[in-house]
Amino acid sequence: GDVWRLRGDATKAENFYSAAKPAQRKLTGHASLMSGDFARHVESYLKDNDLDAAQDSLDRWAQTLPTCKLDGYWSLLQVKAYVLAGDNELAAAEAGVLVGVNPESNYGAELLMLAANAYHREGDTDKIVGVLKQIVELYPESEYAEQARELLDK
């Protein structure tokens, strides 16, 4: 599933993810409740700057509910973890992967803005401009598109 996700094919990725069996335990309860539980844990760890615990929860979430790697919130939290860890390159790459596999994600514009900020910290002006243009093109109605337009005008 991860290979197809990286290639931008959501359908094939979802098929493989759905066919995968959880490595550690049998799924109990509703997937949306479990996803929310993982998300709350990761959010709490990120707030406390406990990057090891946050990454462990992200990894367990991805193993238990791999299709969550296609909707965007898992990616958003993963990008935030990379940013806090100072790994701007991985942060920007993950944002690009999610937008490539699911451009309709509700989190796409925010992820791309985080990628632009990551490129800014790296001093890569060409990539900043490219990502800002992508936000305007893919998410013209989002608040991030307005910010991107303003930054492009400067």
Side-chain angles (χ1 to χ4, degrees), residues 74-121:
W74 179 91
S75 292
L76 180 66
L77 294 178
Q78 181 64 75
V79 166
K80 288 181 177 184
Y82 286 147
V83 167
L84 285 174
D87 200 332
N88 296 309
E89 194 173 307
L90 280 176
E94 176 56 38
V97 167
L98 186 277
V99 171
V101 74
N102 184 5
E104 289 84 28
S105 171
N106 292 333
Y107 303 100
E110 184 176 1
L111 280 162
L112 289 175
M113 189 57 79
L114 289 171
N117 290 330
Y119 288 133
H120 177 73
R121 286 186 293 279

Side-chain angles (χ1 to χ4, degrees), residues 13-40:
E14 186 170 8
N15 289 340
F16 278 95
Y17 285 148
S18 295
K21 302 286 186 232
Q24 306 243 339
R25 62 187 167 134
K26 185 177 181 177
L27 292 178
T28 56
H30 299 283
S32 62
L33 293 174
M34 292 176 67
S35 179
D37 187 52
F38 279 117
R40 280 187 296 282

Side-chain angles (χ1 to χ4, degrees), residues 12-76:
K12 287 183 181 177
E14 186 170 8
N15 289 340
F16 278 95
Y17 285 148
S18 295
K21 302 286 186 232
Q24 306 243 339
R25 62 187 167 134
K26 185 177 181 177
L27 292 178
T28 56
H30 299 283
S32 62
L33 293 174
M34 292 176 67
S35 179
D37 187 52
F38 279 117
R40 280 187 296 282
H41 280 88
V42 173
E43 290 164 347
S44 176
Y45 294 137
L46 291 176
K47 182 179 176 185
D48 293 341
N49 207 28
D50 188 346
L51 299 179
D52 290 334
Q55 191 60 58
D56 181 61
S57 287
L58 283 161
D59 292 343
R60 286 187 296 114
W61 184 4
Q63 286 294 315
T64 305
L65 300 166
T67 57
C68 288
K69 292 170 70 174
L70 299 173
D71 71 2
Y73 198 63
W74 179 91
S75 292
L76 180 66

